[in-house]
Amino acid sequence: MADTNRKKQFSTVGGVFFLLIVIPLSLMAFLIANGMFKLGYSVKERAVNVLDQKSQEEIKIRAINTAEEVANFLNERKKDVLTATILPANDVTYKQFLKENNKNIWIKEDGKLKQISAPLYTEMTFIDKKGKEIIKIAGGQTIPADKLANVGKPSGTNYAAEEYFTKAKDLNKGEVYVSPVTGWYVSKPEYAKGKAFSGVIRFATPVFGKEGLSGIIVLSLDYRHLARFTNQVIPTEVNHVLKADASTGNYAYMVDNRGFMIVHPNDYHIAGLNPDGTAVPALAADNAADLTKKGIEVLNLNQLNFMDPNLPKIAKEAADGKSGIVNYKFGAHTKFVAYAPIKFNAANLPAPAGFGWVGMGIDVEKYNEAAIQASQNIDKEAKAWTATIIFIVIASMIILFLIMWLLVRGINRSLQAEIPEDANQPPTFDDDEEDDK
C-alpha cells in the first residue's frame, strides 16, 4: 500500500513538473525552430525572385528619384552662372565665388577611401564680346594675361572644338547654354591601366551692360560632381559605393540627349574627344568589330540597333520625357533596365528631351546566379540553425527529465521521512477493554 502511494506521489509531482516546464519549453522550441525555417525560406524566396514586378517598380522609382536629383543639381548650377553675371568682374571676386561653391566627393587615395570637399567648378571665365578671355580662374589660380586665349572660334578652346562662346553670345538675358560633357576619350587599354575619364560641362550666359552685350561668363563644372549620381549607385542595394563594378551587370549610368553615354562605370564607354578635338566615333553596325579590337567602345544608344532594337527605343522613350522598364539583349546577356528622363532644360536643351536620362540596369543571368548562390547559403544557414535548436531542445529535455527525477525523488524521500510507513494502516482495537466490561 505504501509503495502504491509513493508511485502516486511521484506521478503527481512528475506530471505537474512536465505540464509546467517541459511542455512549454518544447512548444517554445518548436515555435523558434519553425520561425527560423520560415524566415530562411522567406529570405531565400526574396533572393530568388529579386526581379519580380514589385522589385522592378522599386528600381524604376529609384531611377526617377536619381534623375530628379540630377535635374535639381543642374538647375542649381544654372542659377550659379546667372548669379555670376552680377558679380564685379575681377579675379578676387571670382576666386571667392569659386571658393564658396564646393561639394563633398569620395575619392580613393593610396588604396584608401576618403571624402574630400572639392570645388564644383574647375574654371570661371569672363570673355569679351569678341571671344577674348579677359579674366580666367583655373585650379584656384588667376591665369596670366599672356596665357589667356581667344575662344571666339572652337579651335581656340581647351578641347579644340568647343562652341560655348559662339552659342552663348546670341542668347537673351537670363538664357543659359549648357555644353555636352566634354573631355579627352579614355580607351579600354588606358582604362585598364588606371586612367579615368575627366571632363567638364560648360555653363555659359551673356552679360549685358548699358551698351548691350559686354561679354560672356562661363562656369566649368567638374565632371566628378555629375558622375557621382550614378557611379556610386547599385540598383538593388540601398548603400552607395565609390564606384559600381560593371562586371556584375548591376549598375547605373547616364545618357545625354544625343544618346551618348556620359557616365558609366567603364569609362571607355563614355563619349570623348581625340587630341585634335574631333569626336571619337561610337560603335555602329559597320565599325563595331574594328573599333572593339582597338579598345574604342564609345556607346550611343541611337546607333546600337544592331545589338538590340530595344536600345534605340529606350533612348527615344526617354527623349520623349517618359520613364519605363525594358528587357533587352546586350553582348549575349539579358539585361533589365529602368530609365527616367532628367528634366533639366536650357536654351539648347529644350523639353521634353532636356539634358538626358538615367538608366539602372541589371544583368539578369548574373544576378540570378548570384541570387541562387545566396539562397543556397541562406538555406544552409537555416538548416544549421534548425539542427542546433533541435540539439539544444533534446539536450534540455534530457537534463530536465533528470532534474525532474531527482526533484521528485527528493520530495518523495521527504514525505517518507515525515509520514511513518504505518500511517496509512487502518486503526486496531484492543478487545481487552470489551472484556473488562
Side-chain angles (χ1 to χ4, degrees):
M1 193 71 175
D3 290 338
T4 303
N5 288 334
R6 290 193 195 102
K7 288 178 181 178
K8 286 182 179 180
Q9 293 164 2
F10 187 90
S11 299
T12 301
V13 176
V16 171
F17 186 88
F18 188 83
L19 183 65
L20 296 179
I21 298 178
V22 176
I23 290 179
L25 178 64
S26 301
L27 182 60
M28 187 184 299
F30 171 78
L31 292 174
I32 292 172
N34 188 56
M36 286 295 299
F37 178 78
K38 286 185 176 180
L39 177 62
Y41 180 80
S42 177
V43 173
K44 183 176 76 171
E45 189 178 50
R46 285 199 298 270
V48 174
N49 297 323
V50 67
L51 289 181
D52 59 14
Q53 189 62 36
K54 182 181 178 182
S55 298
Q56 292 180 18
E57 287 297 326
E58 287 174 351
I59 295 173
K60 177 183 172 181
I61 291 171
R62 190 171 190 186
I64 292 171
N65 290 339
T66 302
E68 288 179 353
E69 289 176 0
V70 175
N72 292 336
F73 174 78
L74 294 174
N75 273 310
E76 289 297 320
R77 307 293 68 79
K78 186 162 71 171
K79 290 178 182 177
D80 282 348
V81 75
L82 292 174
T83 299
T85 61
I86 62 175
L87 297 176
N90 59 70
D91 61 342
V92 175
T93 304
Y94 284 7
K95 281 183 179 179
Q96 184 63 29
F97 178 84
L98 293 177
K99 186 178 180 181
E100 292 173 353
N101 283 276
N102 296 273
K103 279 193 178 295
N104 291 337
I105 59 172
W106 286 94
I107 64 169
K108 193 171 186 178
E109 192 174 88
D110 299 327
K112 296 180 180 179
L113 298 180
K114 69 176 186 178
Q115 194 174 46
I116 62 169
S117 178
L120 280 167
Y121 306 106
T122 59
E123 297 177 5
M124 183 174 183
T125 310
F126 181 78
I127 306 164
D128 70 18
K129 59 184 179 180
K130 294 183 179 180
K132 175 65 177 177
E133 293 177 338
I134 303 301
I135 304 170
K136 184 174 183 177
I137 311 298
Q141 302 298 318
T142 303
I143 302 302
D146 60 344
K147 298 281 180 76
L148 296 175
N150 189 314
V151 296
K153 294 181 179 180
S155 58
T157 60
N158 288 358
Y159 292 98
E162 298 179 86
E163 300 178 320
Y164 55 84
F165 175 78
T166 57
K167 296 290 185 181
K169 69 183 181 66
D170 294 326
L171 297 180
N172 296 318
K173 185 176 182 179
E175 293 182 327
V176 177
Y177 167 80
V178 180
S179 77
V181 169
T182 307
W184 306 121
Y185 179 66
V186 176
S187 68
K188 192 172 184 178
E190 290 174 328
Y191 180 71
K193 293 178 181 178
K195 187 175 181 180
F197 180 85
S198 177
V200 296
I201 300 176
R202 311 282 192 190
F203 289 75
T205 191
V207 179
F208 293 92
K210 293 180 180 179
E211 299 179 357
L213 179 69
S214 59
I216 305 295
I217 194 159
V218 183
L219 292 178
S220 302
L221 175 68
D222 186 336
Y223 169 79
R224 295 178 298 173
H225 290 287
L226 176 72
R228 69 180 176 84
F229 284 99
T230 55
N231 267 347
Q232 297 178 353
V233 170
I234 297 177
T236 58
E237 297 182 15
V238 175
N239 295 329
H240 287 63
V241 294
L242 177 64
K243 192 174 185 181
D245 182 0
S247 66
T248 65
N250 189 0
Y251 58 87
Y253 54 88
M254 203 180 301
V255 180
D256 70 12
N257 62 338
R258 304 168 299 168
F260 281 103
M261 191 70 67
I262 55 173
V263 183
H264 193 282
N266 288 334
D267 290 21
Y268 50 85
H269 288 323
I270 299 171
L273 303 173
N274 290 309
D276 63 355
T278 57
V280 174
L283 296 179
D286 59 348
N287 65 13
D290 183 53
L291 290 177
T292 301
K293 287 180 182 178
K294 297 177 181 177
I296 298 173
E297 298 183 21
V298 174
L299 298 181
N300 184 322
L301 270 72
N302 291 318
Q303 297 179 196
L304 297 181
N305 187 69
F306 70 98
M307 290 187 175
D308 190 293
N310 282 312
L311 293 171
K313 289 180 182 178
I314 295 170
K316 185 179 184 308
E317 285 284 304
D320 289 339
K322 300 174 183 177
S323 57
I325 296 171
V326 172
N327 289 303
Y328 65 94
K329 288 285 185 180
F330 185 84
H333 289 266
T334 302
K335 303 279 286 187
F336 158 85
V337 63
Y339 58 91
I342 299 169
K343 297 180 180 179
F344 167 75
N345 304 113
N348 60 311
L349 301 175
F355 183 78
W357 52 278
V358 166
M360 294 197 175
I362 297 173
D363 188 314
V364 177
E365 284 90 355
K366 285 186 179 180
Y367 197 83
N368 283 346
E369 182 181 331
I372 290 170
Q373 181 62 46
S375 71
Q376 290 173 345
N377 292 338
I378 291 167
D379 196 39
K380 287 179 182 178
E381 289 187 15
K383 287 179 178 178
W385 274 104
T386 303
T388 302
I389 290 171
I390 291 172
F391 172 78
I392 292 171
V393 169
I394 292 173
S396 299
M397 295 287 285
I398 293 171
I399 293 171
L400 284 171
F401 273 113
L402 179 61
I403 293 172
M404 183 188 74
W405 181 79
L406 293 172
L407 182 61
V408 172
R409 187 181 176 192
I411 293 172
N412 191 46
R413 285 180 176 178
S414 297
L415 291 173
Q416 287 178 356
E418 293 179 7
I419 302 174
E421 290 188 8
D422 59 353
N424 293 321
Q425 298 295 326
T428 58
F429 300 94
D430 191 353
D431 292 339
D432 293 339
E433 293 182 6
E434 191 68 29
D435 292 341
D436 291 341
K437 291 180 181 179

